[in-house]
C-alpha cells in the first residue's frame, strides 16, 4: 500500500512541536517500502502537490497535539476530533488540509503525539520515545496498536 507520511512541526525553539521533523528523519533512515516521508515543517499545505503526483492509497498526518493525555501518548485521531486535539503552529488547520486531500487519496489518518512542552531547544524524553515507538509501529504496519482518541 503506497503511503505518504506528512510529518508536521516547528523546529524553532518549539520543544515538542519539533516531533514531526524529528520523526521524519527517523523514518527516512528506515527506508520503509512504499512509504514516502515528508518533513512538512510548519507548512503542510506546500506538500499537497507531492500527494497529488504520487497518488498514494493512504496519507498519514503526524503532529504534536494537545489531547489532554500523558505526555508522549500516541493516538489515532478521528477527523471529527481534529479541531479539538490541535496545536496550530502551522498555516492552515489540519481539518482543511484533510478536506483538500480527500479527493486525491482513499484514506487519511491522523496520529497525534501528546507534547510535554511547546518551547525549548530539545524534545522531551517522553515525546522522543513516542517517536521511536511510532517508527516501529509504522515499520510493522501495526497501526491497530495505537488507541483511538
Amino acid at each position: 500500500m503506497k503511503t505518504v507520511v506528512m510529518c508536521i512541526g516547528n523546529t524553532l525553539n518549539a520543544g515538542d512541536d519539533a516531533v514531526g521533523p524529528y520523526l521524519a528523519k527517523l523514518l527516512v533512515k528506515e527506508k520503509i517500502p512504499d512509504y514516502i516521508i515528508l518533513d512538512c515543517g510548519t507548512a503542510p499545505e506546500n506538500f499537497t502537490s507531492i500527494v497529488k503526483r504520487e497518488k498514494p492509497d493512504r496519507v498519514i498526518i503526524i503532529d504534536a497535539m494537545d489531547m489532554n493525555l500523558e505526555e508522549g501518548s500516541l493516538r489515532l485521531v478521528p477527523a471529527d476530533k481534529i479541531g479539538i486535539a490541535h496545536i496550530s503552529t502551522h498555516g492552515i488547520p489540519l481539518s482543511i488540509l484533510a478536506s483538500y486531500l480527500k479527493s486525491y487519496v482513499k484514506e487519511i489518518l491522523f496520529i497525534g503525539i501528546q507534547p510535554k512542552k511547546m518551547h525549548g531547544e530539545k524534545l522531551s524524553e517522553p515525546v522522543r520515545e513516542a517517536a521511536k515507538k511510532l517508527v516501529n509501529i509504522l515499520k510493522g504496519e501495526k497501526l491497530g496498536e495505537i488507541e483511538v482518541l
Side-chain angles (χ1 to χ4, degrees):
M1 175 183 292
K2 191 176 199 180
T3 301
V4 170
V5 180
M6 300 179 80
C7 301
I8 302 171
N10 185 358
T11 58
L12 300 175
N13 196 33
D16 290 338
D17 194 34
V19 71
Y22 173 74
L23 185 61
K25 287 178 186 172
L26 295 178
L27 289 168
V28 165
K29 288 179 186 175
E30 292 297 328
K31 297 182 176 133
I32 304 170
D34 297 322
Y35 271 57
I36 299 163
I37 310 302
L38 303 175
D39 177 352
C40 297
T42 59
E45 63 274 14
N46 292 344
F47 294 82
T48 57
S49 63
I50 296 171
V51 174
K52 288 167 43 177
R53 181 184 72 226
E54 293 296 331
K55 299 179 178 117
D57 301 295
R58 168 176 71 183
V59 170
I60 300 174
I61 299 171
I62 303 169
D63 198 4
M65 295 183 189
D66 186 4
M67 302 171 285
N68 295 316
L69 300 170
E70 183 177 332
E71 53 266 352
S73 295
L74 297 171
R75 291 294 184 272
L76 281 170
V77 182
D80 63 336
K81 291 189 179 179
I82 285 299
I84 298 166
H86 184 64
I87 294 175
S88 182
T89 58
H90 29 85
I92 65 168
L94 295 181
S95 57
I96 292 173
L97 176 67
S99 292
Y100 176 74
L101 292 176
K102 272 184 187 177
S103 57
Y104 300 102
V105 296
K106 297 174 189 168
E107 181 181 24
I108 300 173
L109 300 173
F110 296 96
I111 299 176
I113 302 174
Q114 177 66 49
K116 180 177 182 177
K117 58 185 176 66
M118 294 302 288
H119 52 49
E121 297 296 318
K122 296 192 235 178
L123 292 175
S124 67
E125 194 56 33
V127 169
R128 185 179 305 279
E129 289 305 312
K132 291 175 184 174
K133 179 181 178 181
L134 185 52
V135 167
N136 289 324
I137 288 170
L138 293 172
K139 272 179 25 182
E141 278 293 322
K142 298 178 182 175
L143 290 170
E145 291 182 6
I146 303 174
E147 287 183 53
V148 177
L149 183 64

